[in-house]
């Protein structure tokens, strides 16, 4: 009997959240108000013919599992999808609330997710929640194919980039077809900001309130659970409850500032930074309409439903600060308002310090910290914005700019790098579209004049001498100061290039790359998802795997939900026509023109 038990069945569950927090034992199906509880029991409905189509080996390793453990288990797909309950698993749904687009939305909860339980990690696993999944295994429920693929790939891609995130061990599909609203939520973790908003009083604007209004006893219980489970060092350090809670809030603030600084440094835009999509552990959660910037634009918005740009790239630090203020309010009497205010006042300074540290590494400024470095970064980004430079590729190619020793050292080398960077800039037509109607007439006239000066130079807005001058002005003089008289220039250069190439990724999960995998999957071909996962696990390396086929036909759509960019006809192509209509677009290349049509909600 012992030999017949599979590794999945041997997982040791210890469902701490359900033991320590109020649990509604009702099994009533459907949406309902859950009062006085943080979770409610559910009975997951089995999927129709569940099939494992992709697995993340490093994520499964957190549970002591291998890919073979899953693939050899006759019920592996059923277990991972919740269709069959693993011994020790206790399926439940998480109750939470949230501020959505600035307004209190009342009770939300898990419409597309099911908590299966928490697995005790082995002794070798790190206890740092920034590096592992602190709540053990949890599995997505009824999510449509496109969002499941995007979340599976993006969470593993972010982890490989070194950005704190939840993890995905498997992607399971079925023959079940479901209808989904454009707005969906996911990830049932009890450490959401919105977990504490179930106690929210009646909102003056919306009239809504949390389902557990007037229950400070449960709020105290939830706060104790979070601190004891995820911040044990804070629990041990403080005997005074108010001091403990203030220390907890400051740690959440620091982690949030660090997280958003990392997002900004790789051009990542979350898309829906509602309070229920924020993690108390400083993790990236709930990958909905996320996007990595292609052309650098501080006003970049990756969510087609965000008409007012509330969650734009440049707004993310300020939104995170606003969300932290809502968390402080939700903690109520557990956190003294004066201490909360003082901590919140530190947020932007903490964020700027983390951000500038990240950007110094991206530029290879490792040995010195100069006061004007922040201005240098701002000047570079301004130049990138004016020229429409690709964010990821420009930073990656900057490592080829050599550190000057003397006035004319490596001038030819710099000129060749400038040509590469100019090739990553936007065309005149693209900038016209991108900047209409927000660009001031005077700005547009200046850019048009610059383009007419040398229209043949890659059909670019800024001519090569201008870009060369800008790079010299904002970069090489600062690089020269990295090499002092007592240092070995060759050693400094080697370390700088190594650091830059391990900080500036060669590939990120751009929308058009994800869409390519999604459309192949919709035709029943999951090989692109599997191959892309391998590439994203090593984002800082350049390998032959970066050269992959991308669909080139039927590349326009008026759909705004990301379901299909190239239309139904593309889905019905035969393999022969697919081969004829594809061409090789490297994952690390400047995106093709049709990529701009992709619209996600």
């Amino acid at each position: 009997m012992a030999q017949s038990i599979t590794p999945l069945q041997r997982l040791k569950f210890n469902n701490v959240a359900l033991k320590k927090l109020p649990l509604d034992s009702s099994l009533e199906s459907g949406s309902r108000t859950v009062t006085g509880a943080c979770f409610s029991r559910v009975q997951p409905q089995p999927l129709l013919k569940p099939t494992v189509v992709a697995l993340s080996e490093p994520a499964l390793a957190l549970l002591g599992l291998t890919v073979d453990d899953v693939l050899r288990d006759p019920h592996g797909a059923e277990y991972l999808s919740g269709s069959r309950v693993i011994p020790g698993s206790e399926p439940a749904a998480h109750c939470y609330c949230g501020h959505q687009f600035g307004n209190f939305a009342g009770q939300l909860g898990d419409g597309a997710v099911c908590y299966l339980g928490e697995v005790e990690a082995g002794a070798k696993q790190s206890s740092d929640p920034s590096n592992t999944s602190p709540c053990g295994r949890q599995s997505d429920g009824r999510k449509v194919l496109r969002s499941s693929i995007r979340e599976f790939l993006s969470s593993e891609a972010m982890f490989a980039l070194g950005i704190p995130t939840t993890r995905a061990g498997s992607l399971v599909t079925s023959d079940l077809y479901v209808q989904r609203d454009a707005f969906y939520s996911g990830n049932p973790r009890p450490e959401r900001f919105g977990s504490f908003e179930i106690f929210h009083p009646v909102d003056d604007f919306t009239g809504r309130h949390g389902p557990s209004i007037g229950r400070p006893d449960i709020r105290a219980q939830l706060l104790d659970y979070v601190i004891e489970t995820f911040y044990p060092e804070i629990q041990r350090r403080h005997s005074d409850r108010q001091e403990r809670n203030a220390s907890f809030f400051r740690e959440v603030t620091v982690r949030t500032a660090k997280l958003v600084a990392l997002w900004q440094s790789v051009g990542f835009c979350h898309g829906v930074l509602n309070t229920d999509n924020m993690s108390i552990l400083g993790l990236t959660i709930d990958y909905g309409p996320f996007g990595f910037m292609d052309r650098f634009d501080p006003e970049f918005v990756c969510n087609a439903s965000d008409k007012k740009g509330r969650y734009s790239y440049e707004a993310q630090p300020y939104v995170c600060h606003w969300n932290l203020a809502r968390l402080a309010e939700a903690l109520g009497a557990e956190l003294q308002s004066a201490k909360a205010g003082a901590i919140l006042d530190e947020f932007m300074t903490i964020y700027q310090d983390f951000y500038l540290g990240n950007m110094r590494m991206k530029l290879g400024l490792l040995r010195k910290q100069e006061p004007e470095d922040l201005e240098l970064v701002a000047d570079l980004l301004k130049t990138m914005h004016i020229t429409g430079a690709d964010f990821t590729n420009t930073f990656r190619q900057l490592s080829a700019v050599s550190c000057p020793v003397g006035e004319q050292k490596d001038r030819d080398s710099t000129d060749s790098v400038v040509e590469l960077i100019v090739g990553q800039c936007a065309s005149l037509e693209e900038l016209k579209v991108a900047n209409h109607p927000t660009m001031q007439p005077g700005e547009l006239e200046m850019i048009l004049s610059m383009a007419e000066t040398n229209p043949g130079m890659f059909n670019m807005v800024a001519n090569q001498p201008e870009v060369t001058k800008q790079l010299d002005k904002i970069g090489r003089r600062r690089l020269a100061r990295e090499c002092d008289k007592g240092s070995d220039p060759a050693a400094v250069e080697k370390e700088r290039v190594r650091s830059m190439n391990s900080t500036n990724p060669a590939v990120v999960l751009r929308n058009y790359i994800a869409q390519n995998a999604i459309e192949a999957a919709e035709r029943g071909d999951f090989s692109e998802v599997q191959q892309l996962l391998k590439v994203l696990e090593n984002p800082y390396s350049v390998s032959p795997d970066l050269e992959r086929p991308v669909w080139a036909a039927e590349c326009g759509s008026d759909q705004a939900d990301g379901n299909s960019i190239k239309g139904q006809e593309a889905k019905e192509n035969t393999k022969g026509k697919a081969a004829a209509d594809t061409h090789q677009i490297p994952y690390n290349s400047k995106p093709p023109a049709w990529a701009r049509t992709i619209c996600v909600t």
Side-chain angles (χ1 to χ4, degrees):
M1 289 292 292
Q3 291 180 348
S4 65
I5 298 176
T6 67
L8 279 168
Q9 293 170 334
R10 283 197 295 267
L11 288 174
K12 187 178 180 181
F13 282 88
N14 185 6
N15 306 315
V16 180
L18 303 189
K19 295 176 181 177
K20 292 193 174 183
L21 297 175
L23 175 64
D24 181 358
S25 59
S26 172
L27 292 175
E28 179 185 348
S29 61
S31 301
R32 59 188 173 85
T33 301
V34 178
T35 60
C38 298
F39 287 89
S40 57
R41 293 196 182 278
V42 295
Q43 291 179 329
Q45 295 182 358
L47 293 174
L48 180 62
K49 296 181 181 178
T51 304
V52 175
V53 296
L55 293 167
S56 169
E57 187 171 0
L60 289 173
L62 294 172
L63 303 175
L65 294 172
T66 67
V67 169
D68 284 345
D69 290 338
V70 175
L71 296 180
R72 292 178 180 176
D73 193 312
H75 301 299
E78 295 175 273
Y79 285 145
L80 292 177
S81 66
S83 299
R84 180 186 292 258
V85 177
I86 305 175
S89 171
E90 297 183 64
H94 178 209
C95 179
Y96 56 88
C97 295
H99 281 77
Q100 299 191 327
F101 289 88
N103 296 317
F104 184 67
Q107 178 181 302
L108 298 171
D110 298 323
V113 195
C114 182
Y115 167 97
L116 294 183
E118 303 170 53
V119 175
E120 290 187 355
K124 294 182 180 180
Q125 300 299 334
S126 168
S127 61
D128 182 357
S130 298
N131 298 326
T132 65
S133 177
C135 291
R137 182 174 62 84
Q138 300 179 354
S139 174
D140 285 345
R142 304 295 194 267
K143 283 202 173 190
V144 295
L145 184 62
R146 69 175 185 275
S147 61
S148 297
I149 290 175
R150 284 171 58 85
E151 180 151 359
F152 174 73
L153 291 175
S154 60
S155 60
E156 290 305 281
M158 291 287 274
F159 177 79
L161 288 170
I163 298 176
T165 178
T166 51
R167 303 290 300 277
S170 65
L171 176 61
V172 180
T173 65
S174 78
D175 290 346
L176 179 67
Y177 287 85
V178 295
Q179 294 293 326
R180 275 286 176 259
D181 218 355
F183 296 96
Y184 57 88
S185 67
N187 201 306
R189 298 181 173 275
E191 74 273 10
R192 294 174 180 268
F193 281 22
S195 300
F196 288 94
E197 293 188 297
I198 63 174
F199 315 105
H200 197 287
V202 176
D203 185 78
D204 293 337
F205 183 73
T206 66
R208 300 188 180 103
H209 60 78
S212 293
I213 183 175
R215 294 296 304 271
D217 56 322
I218 298 179
R219 181 175 60 197
Q221 190 176 351
L222 176 60
L223 184 59
D224 288 345
Y225 160 75
V226 168
I227 296 177
E228 291 169 2
T229 304
F230 303 112
Y231 294 94
E233 69 286 354
I234 291 178
Q235 180 69 24
R236 290 192 297 267
R237 198 163 58 235
H238 297 283
S239 57
D240 180 81
R241 185 177 184 85
Q242 283 290 336
E243 290 298 325
R244 181 202 69 167
N245 295 348
S247 179
F248 157 73
F249 184 68
R250 189 176 195 284
E251 181 62 22
V252 175
T253 298
V254 171
R255 291 194 186 194
T256 302
K258 181 178 181 179
L259 179 67
V260 70
L262 286 168
W263 289 348
Q264 302 301 93
S265 69
V266 296
F268 175 81
C269 200
H270 185 281
V272 193
L273 280 177
N274 298 327
T275 56
D276 54 289
N277 293 337
M278 297 284 294
S279 166
I280 285 173
L281 298 182
L283 305 176
T284 312
I285 66 172
D286 206 328
Y287 292 87
F290 72 88
F292 284 89
M293 274 194 300
D294 296 327
R295 173 184 57 83
F296 176 70
D297 180 5
E299 296 179 355
F300 171 68
V301 175
C302 62
N303 181 358
S305 300
D306 188 5
K307 303 300 182 184
K308 296 182 179 179
R310 176 180 176 84
Y311 299 137
S312 67
Y313 168 79
E314 66 180 351
Q316 288 188 135
Y318 305 98
V319 171
C320 287
H321 179 265
W322 189 89
N323 287 343
L324 283 163
R326 304 290 77 74
L327 173 61
E329 291 175 355
L331 292 174
E334 293 287 350
L335 181 64
Q336 295 175 356
S337 58
K339 289 188 177 180
I343 294 169
L344 287 170
D345 287 344
E346 298 177 37
F347 176 83
M348 289 309 298
T349 299
I350 297 171
Y351 159 75
Q352 285 285 2
D353 288 345
F354 279 128
Y355 174 74
L356 185 54
N358 293 337
M359 299 307 285
R360 282 192 177 110
M361 291 181 65
K362 289 176 74 68
L363 294 175
L365 308 179
L366 311 177
R367 298 164 63 84
K368 296 183 178 181
Q369 296 183 5
E370 307 240 349
E372 65 268 26
D373 286 350
L374 185 60
E375 183 180 356
L376 182 147
V377 171
D379 285 345
L380 172 60
L381 294 178
K382 182 178 180 180
T383 302
M384 291 171 61
H385 188 205
I386 291 174
T387 59
D390 184 90
F391 184 86
T392 300
N393 292 352
T394 297
F395 276 104
R396 181 73 181 190
Q397 291 175 352
L398 281 175
S399 65
V401 177
S402 60
C403 185
V405 179
E407 290 296 319
Q408 298 299 320
K409 170 109 169 37
D410 288 336
R411 170 62 61 188
D412 292 340
S413 173
T414 300
D415 289 345
S416 66
V417 174
V418 169
E419 286 193 26
L420 290 174
I421 293 176
V422 168
Q424 296 299 324
C425 294
S427 67
L428 173 60
E429 289 304 316
E430 184 180 355
L431 277 181
K432 279 184 178 180
V433 173
N435 289 290
H436 181 79
T438 57
M439 177 174 276
Q440 296 295 323
E443 272 189 277
L444 183 57
E445 184 177 342
M446 177 190 69
I447 291 179
L448 291 175
S449 175
M450 289 170 63
E452 290 170 1
T453 303
N454 196 342
M457 182 67 69
F458 301 100
N459 191 28
M460 304 316 305
V461 173
N463 56 45
Q464 180 170 323
E466 177 63 20
V467 176
T468 303
K469 185 175 74 173
Q470 287 292 324
L471 284 175
D472 265 351
K473 178 181 178 182
I474 66 179
R476 284 172 57 87
R477 286 186 297 181
R478 173 63 177 84
L479 278 180
R481 297 201 291 274
E482 289 288 295
C483 301
D484 53 35
K485 293 181 180 180
S487 62
D488 178 359
V492 171
E493 182 77 352
K494 183 178 180 179
E495 173 61 15
R496 182 184 66 84
V497 172
R498 186 205 63 78
S499 176
M500 292 180 72
N501 285 339
S502 62
T503 307
N504 297 311
V507 60
V508 294
L509 185 61
R510 300 176 189 261
N511 270 338
Y512 84 95
I513 295 175
Q515 190 61 32
N516 181 54
I518 289 169
E519 294 191 5
E522 288 174 341
R523 300 190 300 272
D525 178 6
F526 288 91
S527 62
E528 180 64 15
V529 173
Q530 297 161 357
Q531 173 63 27
L532 184 52
L533 178 62
K534 293 180 181 178
V535 171
L536 294 172
E537 286 176 347
N538 297 284
Y540 297 102
S541 65
V542 178
S543 69
D545 290 336
L546 291 178
E547 186 81 13
R548 294 288 293 173
V550 175
W551 285 92
E554 286 85 44
C555 52
S557 175
D558 57 2
Q559 296 191 40
D561 64 357
N563 190 27
S564 177
I565 300 306
K566 308 183 186 70
Q568 188 65 29
E569 182 181 346
K571 297 179 185 178
E572 299 170 355
N573 278 319
T574 63
K575 289 186 178 180
K577 186 175 187 299
D581 285 343
T582 61
H583 63 276
Q584 299 290 327
I585 300 179
Y587 287 142
N588 63 340
S589 71
K590 180 184 173 185
W594 57 260
R596 298 197 300 272
T597 67
I598 297 179
C599 200
V600 182
T601 61

